[in-house]
Amino acid sequence: MDTGYIVVQTINTLFYASILFLIASGLSLIYGIMRVLNLAHGAFYMLGAYLAYSAAMVWIGPSALGFVLGFVLAVAVLAVIGAVFERTLLRPLYSKPEELQLLFTFAVMLMLDDIVKMVWGPEYKSYTVIPGGSVEVGAYQVPLYTVYVIVIGFAAAAGLWWFFSKTVIGKQMRAAAFNSEVAEALGINTSILFIAAFAIGSALSGLAGAAAAPILTAYPGMGADALVLSFAVLVIGGMGSIAGSLVGALIASVARTIMVIVYPMLEVALIYLITAVMLLIKPSGLFGKEIERR
């Protein structure tokens, strides 16, 4: 195994971890603050991928402007969709059994899958050009774009840490996550915070979709695949923890790379094995806390 191969696999691992982190952190953020397990989150990721593809390959064309606007469009549109979705469709279900919330968000995921097929068609949407060109690493060509995505992923992790640790709104969200009734009694407008939290979480899914599309392509059903892997990340790292999402994504990505090298047919098998072990020995995950019903 030469040095170039190790470098390439390391970059691929970090790229995949960055995508998983962006998806899982949005899901974890929403759950951590609102205790809502949004199964439509994967479909939001899929919408982000299609919007970025359309901007970069159809509406503007494969240029730096098209790629950048694709990212901006995916993040902005998904933030708006998330805010509207929470305020109009999901909020009336907060007083209902959790099973109803799960069924509803699952139904939304299926509907968005069908909408994507109607608008963009059932075929895969591949980029004709990968932005950023490539560099030689030994005998291998590495797309610079994968490095950009790694930077975006870790920058998002740092940004979320800063937001929840240093800003007033972030601290209010943490307070609402701990006990929303006490937060309201202290004058915090939890209604606005919930909308903001859902918008941020949905925007992260849109960012993940835009980042993944040039390498992983956009296709109907990609949201369900991503959602299942995101749950694995959250089980490993811990629900409601941004640090847990990052560590869980890194562990899952390393496990995937090992299987790609050893036996590609079982690419994600080790991820699910680790997930099953975590559920047996530490169901709350590495960074999660035992969930208390409020």
Side-chain angles (χ1 to χ4, degrees), residues 2-51:
D2 62 77
T3 305
Y5 184 75
I6 294 173
V7 172
V8 169
Q9 291 302 334
T10 301
I11 292 173
N12 288 339
T13 300
L14 292 175
F15 168 78
Y16 198 70
S18 298
I19 299 297
L20 284 181
F21 167 73
L22 291 172
I23 306 170
S25 61
L27 193 63
S28 182
L29 188 156
I30 292 170
Y31 183 82
I33 295 175
M34 305 162 65
R35 296 289 185 266
V36 172
L37 200 52
N38 177 25
L39 297 185
H41 193 76
F44 291 174
Y45 158 76
M46 174 185 64
L47 279 178
Y50 273 94
L51 288 170

Side-chain angles (χ1 to χ4, degrees), residues 56-244:
M57 292 289 117
V58 181
W59 298 331
I60 299 176
S63 62
L65 178 63
F67 290 121
V68 171
L69 284 183
F71 270 80
V72 173
L73 186 68
V75 171
V77 170
L78 265 300
V80 173
I81 288 176
V84 174
F85 179 67
E86 192 280 333
R87 184 65 185 85
T88 60
L89 298 179
L90 199 55
R91 187 167 298 190
L93 299 179
Y94 288 166
S95 59
K96 308 292 183 184
E98 291 180 359
E99 294 83 357
L100 199 58
Q101 297 174 16
L102 289 174
L103 287 173
F104 178 74
T105 55
F106 182 67
V108 171
M109 181 186 74
L110 296 179
M111 286 190 290
L112 288 176
D113 250 7
D114 285 341
I115 290 172
V116 162
K117 289 176 186 173
M118 286 190 292
V119 174
W120 283 280
E123 67 276 3
Y124 282 46
K125 300 295 183 184
S126 302
Y127 280 57
T128 55
V129 178
I130 303 297
S134 61
V135 293
E136 286 188 7
V137 179
Y140 307 93
Q141 292 286 328
V142 177
L144 276 174
Y145 179 76
T146 56
V147 179
Y148 301 157
V149 172
I150 293 169
V151 173
I152 290 171
F154 281 87
L160 287 171
W161 172 83
W162 174 82
F163 178 75
F164 286 108
S165 302
K166 304 297 181 183
T167 68
V168 174
I169 296 176
K171 291 176 182 177
Q172 288 180 343
M173 284 185 177
R174 288 170 56 195
F178 184 74
N179 192 317
S180 61
E181 293 176 356
V182 172
E184 285 181 358
L186 293 173
I188 297 174
N189 189 335
T190 56
S191 176
I192 296 297
L193 287 183
F194 284 176
I195 294 175
F198 217 96
I200 294 171
S202 301
L204 285 169
S205 69
L207 177 62
I215 300 293
L216 304 179
T217 73
Y219 58 93
M222 66 186 288
D225 297 340
L227 187 67
V228 173
L229 287 171
S230 296
F231 281 136
V233 168
L234 296 182
V235 169
I236 295 170
M239 275 284 197
S241 167
I242 298 300

